[in-house]
Amino acid sequence: MTSYNLMVCIVPHDGGEFIIKAACSAGAGGGTVVMGRGISENRFLHVLALGETSKDIVYMLVPSEERSKIADAIARASERKKKRFGVLFSLDSIRLIKTGNIFGGDDYMTFNAAHHMVSIIANRGYADDIMAAARKAGAGGGTVIKARGTAKPGDAKFFGMEIVPEKEMLLMIIDSEKLNNVLEAVRTLPCLASPGSGIAFCCPISDFMLLGKK
């Protein structure tokens, strides 16, 4: 059975189509682009904190055997861009859901990785507070994506319409030795304490690289 990798690329706004075009030239089938914003505490830009500007986050699911070729094509195309144009990394796809079926996941084992991606979904307005707590625990910066929750039967209603709360998704790349401290700092935040207020999860990443002129 073919295994897959989730390739994630974070670049300035309006750069997502450029990345997908480069990836498709090497055999990728396409991708999904969402908008986010960078958070940076000072002029020394940390991983994922590429300035207080809008970002495109590109998600591409590719066959594992094609990953290196596609990454190389993106890196070569990005050399024409400015220095520190963006970042590119990949995640093992533990489970793939396609047309109602679930593939993979039974034999998944954690492995040693230099970095992990921490994803936190919380109610809108709390991403900066979460980022501040994570930074005190060793995180460098993060990217915030606007999102929304999904209503379910029994949720509060307003004039008969279900209220779907707005969310923010915070993505951070964390050095593995700092991961436990960051997760513990986030876990104890009041804004994530009540049921349904948010979730956090992490995945090991591989093939991390900075894009742009060398």
Side-chain angles (χ1 to χ4, degrees), residues 18 30 105 148 157 162 170 177 200:
F18 168 83
R148 65 178 180 86
K157 294 188 177 183
E162 291 180 332
L170 174 63
E177 63 269 21

Side-chain angles (χ1 to χ4, degrees), residues 8-184:
V8 182
C9 190
I10 302 177
V11 294
H13 181 49
D14 290 333
E17 296 299 328
F18 168 83
I19 295 298
I20 291 179
K21 182 178 179 180
C24 288
S25 72
T32 300
V33 181
V34 298
M35 184 182 294
R37 62 181 174 87
I39 300 177
S40 181
E41 63 174 330
N42 55 38
R43 66 185 181 88
F44 297 103
L45 303 180
H46 294 278
V47 171
L48 283 188
L50 303 174
E52 290 280 357
T53 57
S54 297
K55 305 293 177 187
D56 278 355
I57 301 97
V58 183
Y59 295 91
M60 296 173 289
L61 194 64
V62 303
S64 297
E65 62 270 18
E66 301 292 330
R67 181 188 64 188
S68 295
K69 182 176 67 173
I70 294 170
D72 289 344
I74 294 173
R76 287 195 303 271
S78 298
E79 289 177 357
R80 303 193 298 270
K81 299 292 186 178
K82 65 181 181 180
K83 190 174 182 179
R84 299 186 69 90
F85 172 63
V87 297
L88 172 68
F89 56 91
S90 63
L91 306 169
D92 285 340
S93 179
I94 301 173
R95 290 188 177 182
L96 171 65
I97 301 176
K98 188 175 182 181
T99 61
N101 297 309
I102 301 177
F103 303 92
D106 295 336
D107 299 323
Y108 177 74
M109 298 290 289
T110 57
F111 58 92
N112 294 325
H115 303 88
H116 284 71
M117 183 175 74
V118 176
S119 303
I120 302 172
I121 302 173
N123 290 329
R124 184 179 180 183
Y126 290 109
D128 290 275
D129 294 338
I130 297 170
M131 186 69 253
R135 186 179 287 119
K136 288 181 180 179
T143 296
V144 180
I145 303 171
K146 292 182 180 180
R148 65 178 180 86
T150 55
K152 61 183 184 299
D155 284 349
K157 294 188 177 183
F158 180 74
F159 284 100
M161 298 178 62
E162 291 180 332
I163 298 174
V164 181
E166 292 184 315
K167 303 288 185 181
E168 289 178 328
M169 183 175 183
L170 174 63
L171 304 179
M172 299 177 289
I173 291 182
I174 307 296
D175 293 341
S176 292
E177 63 269 21
K178 300 177 181 178
L179 180 62
N180 289 336
N181 289 339
V182 170
L183 293 178
E184 183 62 23

